[in-house]
Amino acid sequence: MNTKVVVPTVVAIIVIVAAVLLLTRGGEQAPTTIRLYMEDMVETAYLEKLLPEFEQQTGIKVVIEKASYEVMREKLISVFKSSEGYYDVIIVDNPWVAEFAEAGWLVPLDDFLAENPQLNVDDYLTSLWWTVGKYWKDGKVYMLPWYNYALALMYRTDLVNTPPRDWAEFYSLAKQLTDPQKDFYGVAAQARRGYKVVEEGLNYVYGFGGRVFDASLRPVINSSQAVEALFLYGRVVFETAPPGAINWEFDEAFQAAQSGKAAMMITYNWMIGALNNPEQSQTAGKWMVAPVPGGYAVLGAWGWAIPHNAPNKEAAFKFLAWVASPETEKKLALMGHAPVRKSTFLDPEVNQKYPYMKTLLEVVDNSLPIVPPVTVGEQIVHILGQYFSESLLHVKDFEEGKISEAEAKALIKQELDKAAQEIYELMKTEGYYEQQVQLPPPWGPG
Amino acid sequence: MASVRLVRVRKVFHTPRGEVTAVDDVSLEVRDGEFLVLLGPSGCGKTTTLRMIAGLETPTRGEIYIGDRLVNNLHPKDRDVAMVFQNYALYPHMRVRDIIAFPLKIRKYPREEIDRRVREVAELLKIEHLLDRRPRELSGGEQQRVALGRAIVRRPQVFLMDEPLSNLDAKLRVVMRAELKRLQKSLGVTTIYVTHDQVEAMTMADRIAVMNKGRVVQLGTPRELFARPANTFVAGFIGSPPMNMIECSLDPGRGLLDCGVLKYPLDPNTGSLLQSRGVIEVILGIRPQHVRIQKGEVPDSVARVPVYVVEPMGTETIVNFKLGETMLKAVVPADVEVEAGEVWSIVFPRERVYIFDKKSGELVA
Amino acid sequence: MFLLPSLALLVGIGLAPFFYVLILSFHRYRLTWSDRPWEFVGLDNYRYVMNWERFWDAAWNTIVFAVGTTLLSFAVGFALALFLSQRFRGRGILRALVIIPLLIPPVSVGLMWRFILHPLLGLVPWIIKSVTGVTVSFFETPAMAMFSLILIDAWEWFPFMFLVLLAGLESLPREPYEAAYVDGANRYQIFRHITLPLMRPVIAVAVLLKFLISLKVYDIIYTVTTGGPGTATETLSYLIYRQTFAYFWVDRGSAMALVYEYLIILFAVLFVKYALVKARAG
C-alpha cells in the first residue's frame, strides 16, 4: 500500500477517535471507579459474580486487576513506593501484614470500624482476627479478614473409615494404602522447597507439639519435637507419596489426588469443594474433610486493606463496608467462599448446603499462622522452606540405607539449628529483641 | 593413467521454471594422457560435462567411463580424479601445506609420505615459500598454483580443470598457460580443461571439443578446427579476429555468389556442387588474415570499396570495409599504409574461402 | 576494536543504575524502611557475601547449569542444523516445527515440563516405565533435579542454537565442499575438516551467547524447582532475586549482584580472549 495514503489516513482516524472520546467524556458525569488488586483464583471469581450488586447500590464501578501470586508482592511494593498510587483496595497475604503496616503503607481502619458497627469485628474467628485484622504491636486494625486457607486432611471415604487422629496413625494408614505396583499411594504430598514444604511440614511440627516461635518471639524450631515431626514427614513423603513429591506443588498433588492415584491429601480446607466437583475431579463424591492429624493446623489467610496512597479512599471505604459485611460473606459462602466469620460458619443455610462447615470451623479455630505478623515473615517462610527441604534429603538418605535413623535425626537437628540461628539473627536485625514483647493469641497466652 | 569416455550423456536440470537440458547427448573419448579442451560460450554445457565427470553431478542418461570403469554411480573419492576450480576453492581455514596435503591426509597416507610429496609438489610449482600461509594471504596466481598443487599431489588418473586461468590478469594468464601445458606434458596425466577462451584452447589443447547448446559441435586438433571448421559456429568461435561471414545467394546463371556489393565467382565444381544440393542461400566465410587488399585495380577482385575504419595494432593493421550491413575485416602487415576513405580492391584467395549452408550452418565447400 | 562502540553504548545505558546499585551496596537499607536513612556500612555487605557459603554454592550451581544446558542445547541445535541444512522434501515444515519451543514463554515451559515429567501422569515417565518398568522421578535427588532443569532449559533453547548455527551453515561457501568432495573426503571427513573449522567463529559466538544467557537463568528455576530440593538447584539470579525482591534486602542484593556481574564479565572476557580470538585466527 502507498504510504502517502496510509499515513494521513491513520492520523485522521486517530484524531477523530480522540475527539469523539474527549467529547463523550465531557458530555456525561463519569462514574466513580475503584481499582482492586487481587490474586487470580476462585475466591476472586465468586466476588466478581456478586459485584453488580455493589455497583448498583453505590454507583461505584469496580475494576479488578488479577495477578498470579508470584508477582503480587513485587507489584504491591512498586505501587506503595510510587507517589501517586494506583489501587484503591488490595488483598494482603498474612506473612506480609506486619511489613506493610510498619512501613506505613496501609491505612488504619479503626475510625472506619467505629463508624460501621454493623461490621461486628467480634464475629471474626480469633485466629484470623490476629492474623489479618488487628496488628498486635500497635493495637491498630489495618486489615479485615477476607478468606482463610487453613490446612485440613482430605481423605477418600471409600478407602479410609475413620480419619487418623495423629501423625503416627496417618503414616501407618498411608503406608497400608500405598501400592506402587498399581501406581497408588497413601498421600499426595507437596513438598517443594518454598511455601509448600512449610505449609505441609509445619502441620507435623504443630502436631508433635513444636512451634516456630515462643511467646517472646524467640525461634524454637530446632526442638526435638520438630526433629521427630520432620523425620516422620520425610518417611511419609518417601514411603507413601508418589515419587517426585519432594518437588511437587499444589497442581501436581491435586492432579494425582483427583485422578485416583492417592487416598489422602493435606491441603487447604476448601479444596474439598474442588475434589468433589465432577468438572474438576475424576473421583468426585468420594472425598471427605477432617482436621489435620495432630489436631493443630497451619493457617493462612488474606485480608482486605487500603493502600496509603489509594487515589479514591472514600469509595474504597464504601467497598470495604460492603464486602466485609456478614450479609455479603454469607452470599459468597453459599457460592463456596471460605468464611472468616463465626456467624457464617454456623449459618443454617450455609450448613445445609455444605454439611462439613462445622468441621471447617474446628479446623480454622485450631490453627496457627505459618508465621506470626513480623516484618520479615516472607523471609522466615523461605528460611524454613530451605531447611525443611534439606531435612527431607537426610530422610531420603536414611530411606536408601546410607545413614541410620539416629544419624538422620542428628542431621535434621543441625539443619533446624541453622534455621533457628538465621531466624534469630534476622529478627534481631529487625529490632524484635530490644524490648520484651508479648504475642497475643493464638501465639501467646490470652 | 586412463582414458575418459562419455557415451550419449545427457543432463537435465529441474528448475522452478521447468526443465533445462544442460548437456544433450554428448559422446566423447578422451585419450590416455591427452589434453582435451572443452570450448564454448557460457551456458553451453561444458562445465556441467566436467562436473559429471568429477562426480559432482549425476548424468540424467548415458554412461561415463574412466579407464574401463563405469563411474556413473561412483563417489568422487573412488573415481581418482582431481579438479581445479575456477575460483580455486581453497580451504580458507587451512595453511597451504595442509591444503595440498588434504587429499593424502584423508586417504590416511603416512606422515613422511605426505611431507615428501607436498615438498615435491611445492618445488615443482615454486611455492615452497608459501607453505605456511593461508589462502587470503596469497595473490591470485599463488592461489592458482596451490589449487594445482592440491590436484597434482595425489597423482590422479584424470585432471579436471574448470576455467582455472579466468580469474588471473591477462599477463599472468599467458605465463600460466605455457606452464600448465608443460606441466601436463611432463606429468602425462589425462586432462580435461574447460574454457571459453579460444586462445587458451588453441594454445594448450591436443584436441578441442567445441560445445554449443549442450552439444559437441566439432571435435578435432586446434589445426583442424582452424583449417576446417565444421560449421559457422566453430568458424566464428575460433580465430581472432573472428572469421568474416557474408550472406550470399547463388546465381547459377553467372556462376557466382551474389553478396550485394561483393560478387564472388565460383569455380565450376563448387557451383555445381551447391546446385546439386539445392543450396541457394549460403554464407561465405573468410578469415581476416586471408583477405588480400590492393590499392589499384586488380582483375580477380571481388569488390572495390572505400575503407571504413583503420585499426592499427602495432605488428599488424586491421582494415574495415563496410559491405552493406556487414563489416569485412582484413588483417594486413603494419607497413601497408591505408587511410580511411581510400578505395581499395579486395581479393579472396579461392583456397581460403569457406562456403556454409545458411540454413544448417554446415560447411559445404 | 569492533567492540568499542557497542561497549560505549552498553556503559552509557547501564551507568546510572549501576552507580545506584554500587552506592547501595555500601549501605544498610531495606526496601520497607520508608523513613530510616541509609546507614553507611563500608564493605560489610561484601564481606557478608564473600563469606556466605550459600552464595558460592549458588555460583557453582549456576556454572554447572550453564555448562550443561549450553553443551546440550548446542549439541542438539547443531545436529538439527546440520540435518536441516540438507535439501529434502518437507524441510521447511521441519524447520518451522523446530522453532516452536522458542515461542513458548519460559514460565509456561516450566509448568509444561513439570507435568510432562510428573511421575504418575507425565508422558516421559510413562514411556520410560512402559519400556523399562522403572518409575523415574525427575526431581527426587539433587543431581536428578539439576539434570532435569538442564534438560528443560536445553529444550527451550536448542531452537535458538539451531537458528544461529543454521544461518552460519547456510552462509558457508559451497566451493570448499565441492573441492573436498572431489578430493575424496567422505561425509565425516568433510564435517571434521571443512564444516567444523569453517563454523568455528559462529559456534564460538553461539556458545558464548547461550552461556551468558544461561548464567542469568531465573524463570525456569522459579517455576520448576524454586531452587530445591534443599539448595541443589539454587542459582545466583534466583538467590539475588529472593534477597532483593522477596525479602527486600536491596543492600546485600546489590552487593551480590555486583559480585555476580564481575564474575560474568570475567567469564565473557576470558571466553572472548581465548575461544573467540583463537577461532578467528584458526
Side-chain angles (χ1 to χ4, degrees), chain B residues 29-300:
Chain B
E29 182 158 3
V30 188
R31 294 172 198 138
D32 193 359
E34 184 179 30
F35 196 121
L36 180 106
V37 172
L38 292 176
L39 176 66
S42 67
C44 73
K46 56 190 190 304
T47 297
T48 306
T49 307
L50 193 76
R51 288 170 63 86
M52 284 192 285
I53 299 169
L56 293 171
E57 308 280 358
T58 317
T60 311
R61 212 179 60 200
E63 290 125 44
I64 299 174
Y65 295 91
I66 295 177
D68 296 325
R69 274 199 308 172
L70 177 66
V71 298
N72 277 33
N73 296 314
L74 228 51
H75 189 275
K77 71 177 195 290
D78 302 318
R79 295 188 182 201
D80 205 8
V81 297
M83 187 155 168
V84 178
F85 292 82
Q86 182 171 8
N87 47 25
Y88 319 131
L90 300 181
Y91 308 124
H93 55 286
M94 295 188 196
R95 293 174 195 284
V96 168
R97 183 188 303 283
D98 300 317
I99 294 172
I100 296 175
F102 186 73
L104 304 180
K105 209 165 119 190
I106 57 174
R107 285 183 172 72
K108 311 234 156 50
Y109 276 61
R111 265 206 78 83
E112 309 81 58
E113 172 81 3
I114 295 177
D115 287 346
R116 193 175 52 74
R117 284 228 213 160
V118 169
R119 230 177 306 116
E120 277 174 19
V121 168
E123 241 169 80
L124 186 68
L125 296 170
K126 303 187 185 67
I127 50 172
E128 300 106 309
H129 60 294
L130 303 177
L131 285 177
D132 288 317
R133 300 220 194 140
R134 287 174 208 282
R136 63 167 178 273
E137 300 161 342
L138 301 178
S139 70
E142 288 167 343
Q143 291 188 22
Q144 220 276 319
R145 282 162 192 270
V146 175
L148 269 177
R150 177 175 62 185
I152 291 169
V153 76
R154 222 170 77 205
R155 298 173 193 159
Q157 297 203 38
V158 181
F159 280 150
L160 303 173
M161 304 198 186
D162 185 8
E163 311 224 12
L165 305 183
S166 62
N167 286 355
L168 302 181
D169 63 59
K171 223 168 168 182
L172 196 56
R173 211 179 307 169
V174 176
V175 177
M176 286 306 295
R177 221 154 63 190
E179 253 183 73
L180 214 54
K181 182 165 184 182
R182 183 187 56 80
L183 196 67
Q184 194 268 339
K185 284 298 157 225
S186 68
L187 296 171
V189 177
T190 312
T191 302
I192 302 174
Y193 185 107
V194 162
T195 183
H196 65 273
D197 181 344
Q198 54 101 8
V199 180
E200 252 172 51
M202 295 297 282
T203 51
M204 297 167 80
D206 294 328
R207 284 193 303 158
I208 299 173
V210 182
M211 290 188 69
N212 187 30
K213 292 177 184 157
R215 289 170 176 274
V216 174
V217 290
Q218 191 173 8
L219 174 66
T221 63
R223 211 176 281 274
E224 280 167 10
L225 293 189
F226 192 80
R228 275 198 76 76
N231 50 40
T232 48
F233 179 78
V234 177
F237 205 77
I238 289 177
S240 174
M243 183 184 279
N244 293 306
M245 306 266 190
I246 306 153
E247 291 186 15
C248 310
S249 50
L250 178 68
D251 186 343
R254 290 198 279 166
L256 54 71
L257 290 178
D258 183 354
C259 318
V261 184
L262 190 145
K263 313 280 184 227
Y264 177 73
L266 288 167
D267 71 65
N269 287 347
T270 315
S272 49
L273 178 68
L274 288 176
Q275 240 178 323
S276 68
R277 293 200 186 170
V279 177
I280 306 298
E281 300 296 321
V282 300
I283 287 174
L284 182 155
I286 182 162
R287 296 198 184 277
Q289 290 83 352
H290 299 147
V291 176
R292 291 224 299 272
I293 58 171
Q294 249 155 7
K295 192 113 188 232
E297 296 222 17
V298 188
D300 53 354

Side-chain angles (χ1 to χ4, degrees), chain A residues 429, chain C residues 22-29 39-52 251-256 259:
Chain A
T429 322
Chain C
L22 188 68
I23 293 167
L24 206 49
S25 72
F26 294 109
H27 290 80
R28 190 93 186 105
Y29 180 66
E39 179 196 344
F40 183 79
V41 293
L43 287 171
D44 266 10
N45 290 322
Y46 287 95
R47 219 168 285 137
Y48 179 85
V49 169
M50 300 308 269
N51 291 323
W52 197 20
D251 46 5
R252 268 176 207 161
S254 299
M256 275 195 275
V259 173

